[in-house]
Amino acid sequence: MRILLVEDNAELASRIARRIQRAGYAVDRADTIETARSTLDGGPYAVTLLDRRLPDGDGLSLISLVREKQPGGRILMLTALDAVDDRIEGLDAGADDYLTKPFNLDEMMARIRASLRRPGGERTPAVEIGALSFDLDTRAVTIAGKPARLLRRELALLEALARRAGRVVLRDALISSIYGLDEEVEEHTLTTLASRLRARLHELGADVDIHSARGLGYMIVEAKPKGPS
């Protein structure tokens, strides 16, 4: 799952990006409206974090383009414009939420998680494969009912596979979900990550297999019972 951050304050943008990445999401950055316009073509983005005061205009002008390019994506405004009229203007323009600066990064992450839930508070059913359960709302992983801890990249790969369980997810789609546009991804990087996740899930007794479709991508399925030896 990828997030687009449109923020021209380099120090703040770095802090926000690091916090998002620690939560296991890929994040792409843009510091102007013009850069954001071209970056939106490289989606999909589940959430766009959008500053208002950008060097080349008001971030509100991007909302209609975000809606066009990223249908179903959520928009969270991050801005120092904290007057009631400013908040109303942002929400009426199509933003889903409005967070005023300065803000707490943990609250920001909570708002991102909330924005990803279905409208009306309806929860997305967890993905159940073998002994593994993946909560698509909270990204919590349990195996045989017990919480399981995975590394950030492992969690991102598992999420991308779990959302399409039983189907092959193409390599390019996986890379797009896990890594930001500014990250160098070598040919073997995804292969190594998939092998590591496969071994970790086996170690935890998840009773799942991660199959490689040669030259295409990967698929997660329930492990087949082993026959008598």
Side-chain angles (χ1 to χ4, degrees):
M1 185 177 296
R2 291 167 66 194
I3 292 175
L4 175 60
L5 170 61
V6 186
E7 168 61 61
D8 65 313
N9 183 313
E11 180 180 354
L12 177 59
S14 294
R15 288 173 49 222
I16 292 173
R18 287 195 299 270
R19 182 64 184 85
I20 292 172
Q21 289 168 337
R22 284 204 306 273
Y25 300 102
V27 58
D28 297 328
R29 290 167 53 177
D31 57 4
T32 65
I33 290 174
E34 184 64 28
T35 303
R37 287 181 181 277
S38 59
T39 305
L40 282 165
D41 289 329
Y45 294 105
V47 179
T48 297
L49 305 179
L50 184 56
D51 188 18
R52 285 199 59 174
R53 289 176 170 172
L54 295 165
D56 51 350
D58 189 336
L60 289 185
S61 65
L62 278 170
I63 289 181
S64 60
L65 183 64
V66 174
R67 293 299 184 205
E68 174 188 343
K69 297 287 187 180
Q70 311 297 329
R74 317 300 285 174
I75 300 173
L76 173 57
M77 304 300 300
L78 306 177
T79 177
L81 298 174
D82 59 355
V84 172
D85 287 346
D86 292 322
R87 295 199 297 272
I88 292 172
E89 183 180 18
L91 294 170
D92 283 347
D96 297 293
D97 201 353
Y98 203 103
L99 191 57
T100 57
K101 300 175 181 177
F103 52 83
N104 180 280
L105 293 178
D106 289 335
E107 180 185 358
M108 178 196 72
M109 291 307 307
R111 287 174 181 261
I112 288 174
R113 291 192 297 271
S115 75
L116 293 172
R117 300 188 190 113
R118 291 185 178 182
E122 182 182 353
R123 292 185 60 81
T124 308
V127 176
E128 308 280 349
I129 317 167
L132 180 146
S133 176
F134 190 98
D135 188 315
L136 295 173
D137 287 330
T138 65
R139 305 175 84 224
V141 180
T142 57
I143 295 175
K146 298 179 180 179
R149 293 184 63 84
L150 299 174
L151 297 178
R152 176 168 63 92
R153 299 292 194 201
E154 294 170 351
L155 180 63
L157 175 57
L158 178 59
E159 178 178 14
L161 294 173
R163 287 181 179 276
R164 301 167 181 83
R167 294 177 288 168
V168 173
V169 186
L170 299 180
R171 291 181 63 90
D172 286 349
L174 291 171
I175 290 172
S176 177
S177 296
I178 299 167
Y179 303 97
L181 292 175
D182 58 349
E183 296 182 84
E184 294 290 337
V185 182
E186 299 182 2
E187 183 68 25
H188 67 277
T189 301
L190 183 60
T191 302
T192 301
L193 178 60
S195 296
R196 196 171 72 215
L197 176 60
R198 185 186 293 115
R200 179 62 175 152
L201 293 177
H202 178 73
E203 174 190 344
L204 293 171
D207 197 27
V208 299
D209 283 334
I210 296 177
H211 293 313
S212 171
R214 188 176 297 275
L216 293 176
Y218 293 90
M219 172 176 61
I220 189 168
V221 295
E222 184 174 356
K224 293 182 179 179
K226 293 183 179 179
S229 55

